Amino acid sequence: MARLVVDPVTRIEGRLRIEARLDGGQVREAFSSGTMVRALEIVLRGRDPREAWALAQRICGVCTTVHALASVRAVEAALGIGIPPNANLIRNIMSATQMIQDHVIHFYHLHALDWVDITAALQADPAETSALARRISRWPRSSAGYFKDVRERLKRFAASGQLGIFAGGYWGHPAYRLPPEVNLLAVAHYLEALNWQAQIIQIHALFGGKNPHPNYLVGGMPVVLGREAAGAVGWRELEQVERCIREAQEFVEAVYLPDLFAIAGYYAADRWGAGPGHFLSFGEFPATETLDPAGLRIPRGAVLDGNLGRVEPVDLTDPEAITESVARAWYRADPVADGLHPWQGRTELAYEGPLLSHDGLNTEGKYSWLKAPRWKARPMEVGPLARLVVAYARGHPEVREEVDEALARLGLSQPALFSTLGRTLARGLETRLVARWLAEFFEALVANVRRGETKTVHAAHWDPKTWPAEARGIGFAEAPRGALGHWIRIEAGRIANYQVIAPTTWNASPRDASGQPGPLESALVGTPVALPDQPLELLRTVHSFDPCIACAVHVADASASAKRRKAAPASPRA
C-alpha cells in the first residue's frame, strides 16, 4: 500500500500529523498524531484552585473561555460553591458567543477552502453571482457591482504573487465542484466574516473584561451589573450586547446558512467520513445555577452504533465510564493498569518517538502526545454532530425540526448525517440554534436587572478556611469542538491533581490498548484520494472535526539544548 503523510495539517490550531496507507485510491488505514506536548496539568499542581481558571484557559488561544468555564465549575463542584442566577446566565451568554463565533470562523476561514476554489472565482460573472445571492438570501451586499469589486480585488491579489495563507492550496483540484459564481460568493463572505467575527466577540470584552482570555471567578462572574460606572455593565453596555446579538443572528441566517446550503448541494453525494458511530455529549447551557443535567439546553448522553432510538446516560464521576489509555501515547503508564479515570489520571511524559528528521512514526507502538480517552471502552466522537445526534435521539423538538428540514432540503436521509458533510452541516445548524438561545439568555439577564436583581457573585466560601481538607470535582462544558472535562482534586487548599480531556483529545486520539482507532482515524478509512500528492479529500474529513491541537501545546523549554529540542522535552517547565 502507498504511504501518505500530511505534516503539519494546516488551517487548524496546533500541530497534527496524519499518516495514511492508500490502496485502490482510498485510505485503508490512518494514524493521527499530536506532535507537540500538552502538560498544563503539571503546571497546575500545587496552585491555589481559585486561580486555576486563569491558567487553564491558556491551554489555547481560541478555546479560552470554555476552559475557564470548565475550570471554575470543577472548583465549585469540589468545594460546594453555588453561584447566583445572573452568573449562570452570563456564563451561558459567554459560552454561546464563543460557539457562534468559532463555528463561523471555522466554516469560512478554516474549512470552506476545502470546498471553495478561490482561483475559480476569478472566472465568475458578477451579475450571475448577484442573481444567485439575491435568490438565496436577503443579505444587502449582493449587487453585481459589489461582486465585481470583490473579483477585481481578488485579481489584483493573485497578480501580486503574494498569496500569503493561500499559497500552496490545491487550487484546480478535480474534487472542487462549485461553479465560479458560487466560489465568488463564498470568497466575498470569507472577507465579510473577518470583520463580523471581531464584532460579536465584543460580548466577551464587555462581560469578561477582554478577549481572548476573558476573566472568570470562582463563585460567580466578576461583573458589576446595572450601574453606570467605569468597568461596569450598565444599560449602555447591555444595548451594545443586544446589538451584537442581533447582528450575529442576521449574519448566521442571511450569510452563513444560505452559503452552507448552496455549497452542500454540490457535495451531497459524498457519504464518506463516518467515524466510529459512537457519539458523546456532556451537555451545556444549564437552565439554573445548579447545573442539573435535566435542565441542560444541549442534553447530556451517549448514542452508540448510530442508533437514534436510544440515549445512554452519562455519569462524569463514574470511574468505570470515562478512562484514558496511554498505551499508544508518549506518557508513562500506570504500573497497575492502563485506562485510568481522570481523578486518578497521571501526566508523566515519556517520549519514545523519533527525532524531528525522520521517515515516519512507529505506528506499531506509541505515536502521539494525545492520550486515548474512551467512554465505557469505546472511542467516542464529540462536537456539533455528536450534540445534534444525542439531542435528536432524545427528541429535542428544535433540533429535530432543524435536522429534518435540512436533510429534506438537500434530499438526504438520516444516515447521510454520519459523514464528513454531515459533520459540516451539523455545525451550521447548531450555530442557528445557539444564536436563537443566546438572545433568550440575554433577555432573561436584562429582565433580572430590570427587577433590581444584580448579584453576580457568592463569596461565602471564598476563604480556604471554609474548605474541607480534601475535595474533588468535575467541571464540564461543551466547547465549540465538543465535550470538555476538567477533573480536580484539592488537598490542604492546593491542587493535588488536575486532568483535562479536551474535545480534540477524544476526536484525534491514537489507538488504545485494545488497538481501537480514534474517531478521526476511523473516519479517514474509506476516504477517496484522487491525487495522493494533493490529498484534498483527506483534509476535508480532518477539518470537519475542527481539530484544536493547540490544546496540546502548553509547555516549551526555550533553554533546552538542540538535542533535547529534537527529542521533545523530557521534563518541561513553564
Side-chain angles (χ1 to χ4, degrees):
M1 287 189 285
R3 179 166 164 269
L4 170 65
V5 177
V6 183
D7 184 11
V9 176
T10 57
R11 283 186 276 120
I12 66 168
E13 280 293 316
R15 183 147 183 156
L16 174 68
R17 176 187 176 98
I18 299 293
E19 291 195 11
R21 291 166 187 160
L22 307 181
D23 186 28
Q26 290 187 350
V27 175
R28 298 299 180 189
E29 196 172 27
F31 299 87
S32 163
S33 174
T35 56
M36 295 186 77
V37 65
R38 183 185 81 187
L40 204 72
E41 292 90 341
I42 298 172
V43 176
L44 283 165
R45 287 178 198 157
R47 300 273 187 171
D48 187 325
R50 294 170 297 184
E51 68 181 20
W53 65 266
L55 296 164
Q57 69 171 322
R58 265 68 185 182
I59 284 174
C60 180
V62 175
C63 316
T64 62
T65 192
V66 289
H67 281 290
L69 175 59
S71 181
V72 294
R73 282 176 174 171
V75 176
E76 290 160 356
L79 301 176
I81 297 175
I83 63 172
N86 284 340
N88 183 60
L89 287 168
I90 292 171
R91 291 178 180 183
N92 282 350
I93 291 169
M94 299 275 280
S95 181
T97 298
Q98 169 79 10
M99 197 171 285
I100 296 166
Q101 189 220 23
D102 196 278
H103 283 355
V104 172
I105 288 176
H106 175 263
F107 178 73
Y108 283 105
H109 306 133
L110 302 180
H111 196 25
L113 299 181
D114 297 330
W115 317 92
V116 175
D117 186 342
I118 287 184
T119 60
L122 298 171
Q123 312 305 319
D125 180 339
E128 291 188 20
T129 305
S130 173
L132 167 67
R134 290 174 173 173
R135 194 163 58 246
I136 65 174
S137 171
R138 60 178 179 268
W139 190 245
R141 297 189 185 92
S142 59
S143 69
Y146 172 71
F147 289 112
K148 182 180 180 182
D149 287 345
V150 173
R151 190 189 64 180
E152 295 309 308
R153 284 176 62 190
L154 195 59
K155 284 183 177 179
R156 290 194 297 274
F157 179 70
S160 73
Q162 303 293 319
L163 297 181
I165 59 173
F166 302 118
Y170 301 149
W171 314 125
H173 192 288
Y176 284 121
R177 299 188 199 137
L178 300 181
E181 287 69 30
V182 180
N183 283 306
L184 180 58
L185 179 74
V187 171
H189 293 161
Y190 175 106
L191 298 173
E192 290 187 43
L194 286 172
N195 293 326
W196 170 84
Q197 61 88 23
Q199 299 303 312
I200 184 177
I201 213 62
Q202 291 177 22
I203 295 173
H204 278 192
L206 289 166
F207 283 118
K210 61 190 178 69
N211 183 274
H213 304 114
N215 294 308
Y216 274 71
L217 182 67
V218 171
M221 288 297 290
V223 180
V224 176
L225 276 179
R227 295 183 191 173
E228 304 301 329
V233 176
W235 289 111
R236 186 177 60 181
E237 288 76 20
L238 289 172
E239 288 174 0
Q240 188 175 349
V241 172
E242 184 180 26
R243 186 166 58 251
C244 290
I245 293 172
R246 285 201 308 268
E247 291 173 355
Q249 288 179 315
E250 183 62 9
F251 195 86
V252 170
E253 291 291 340
V255 180
Y256 180 14
L257 268 298
D259 286 357
L260 174 61
F261 281 105
I263 293 170
Y266 290 91
Y267 296 97
D270 294 346
R271 304 296 171 82
W272 29 267
H278 308 316
F279 301 93
L280 177 66
S281 169
F282 287 174
E284 190 50 274
F285 306 130
T288 70
E289 59 279 14
T290 64
L291 305 186
D292 180 2
L296 297 172
R297 183 68 65 94
I298 294 177
R300 177 177 298 173
V303 167
L304 303 179
D305 301 315
N307 179 7
L308 295 177
R310 179 180 174 84
V311 179
E312 306 290 336
V314 171
D315 181 355
L316 304 182
T317 66
D318 181 354
E320 304 297 323
I322 294 178
T323 57
E324 283 193 292
S325 169
V326 297
R328 307 294 288 274
W330 292 312
Y331 295 90
R332 187 165 292 109
D334 184 86
V336 177
D338 183 51
L340 300 174
H341 185 270
W343 271 332
Q344 287 79 44
R346 303 169 56 180
T347 301
E348 297 181 22
L349 312 183
Y351 186 69
E352 301 175 12
L355 301 182
L356 282 180
S357 298
H358 60 82
D359 295 329
L361 298 171
N362 175 21
T363 53
E364 300 301 316
K366 294 174 179 276
Y367 60 91
S368 179
W369 279 116
L370 300 186
K371 298 179 181 178
R374 298 291 185 260
W375 184 78
K376 295 194 173 180
R378 296 176 177 87
M380 306 295 289
E381 178 174 341
V382 301
L385 177 59
R387 290 190 285 260
L388 257 62
V389 165
V390 171
Y392 191 96
R394 278 201 180 279
H396 194 298
E398 290 178 278
V399 170
R400 280 190 165 249
E401 182 179 357
E402 288 294 335
V403 171
D404 289 342
E405 285 185 0
L407 292 176
R409 185 172 174 179
L410 292 170
L412 301 174
S413 56
Q414 285 182 0
L417 279 175
F418 309 130
S419 66
T420 296
L421 181 64
R423 212 168 279 117
T424 303
L425 179 64
R427 187 169 286 106
L429 301 181
E430 181 176 74
T431 308
R432 168 183 276 167
L433 289 166
V434 174
R436 195 181 299 160
W437 299 338
L438 171 60
E440 294 178 20
F441 302 143
F442 178 72
E443 289 169 5
L445 179 67
V446 170
N448 285 351
V449 175
R450 289 190 189 283
R451 287 193 294 269
E453 299 173 11
T454 59
K455 190 177 182 62
T456 57
V457 179
H458 285 329
H461 296 287
W462 182 255
D463 189 342
K465 294 177 182 175
T466 65
W467 301 351
E470 296 184 16
R472 62 182 186 177
I474 158 70
F476 69 89
E478 279 295 333
R481 293 163 177 83
L484 167 66
H486 286 215
W487 285 260
I488 189 171
R489 197 174 77 245
I490 301 170
E491 294 178 3
R494 294 283 164 175
I495 296 174
N497 194 16
Y498 201 101
Q499 293 292 318
V500 175
I501 303 182
T504 299
T505 318
W506 287 99
N507 286 334
S509 75
R511 283 157 171 74
D512 55 28
S514 301
Q516 294 186 100
L520 173 56
E521 295 176 330
S522 294
L524 286 171
V525 174
T527 298
V529 179
L531 304 175
D533 61 335
Q534 297 184 7
L536 178 63
E537 304 93 331
L538 181 147
L539 289 178
R540 281 180 185 161
T541 295
V542 173
H543 287 145
S544 72
F545 283 91
D546 191 11
C548 187
I549 311 296
C551 290
V553 187
H554 302 161
V555 179
D557 189 346
S559 64
S561 68
K563 183 177 180 180
R564 282 191 61 206
R565 285 203 298 272
K566 284 182 178 179
S571 56
R573 56 189 172 86

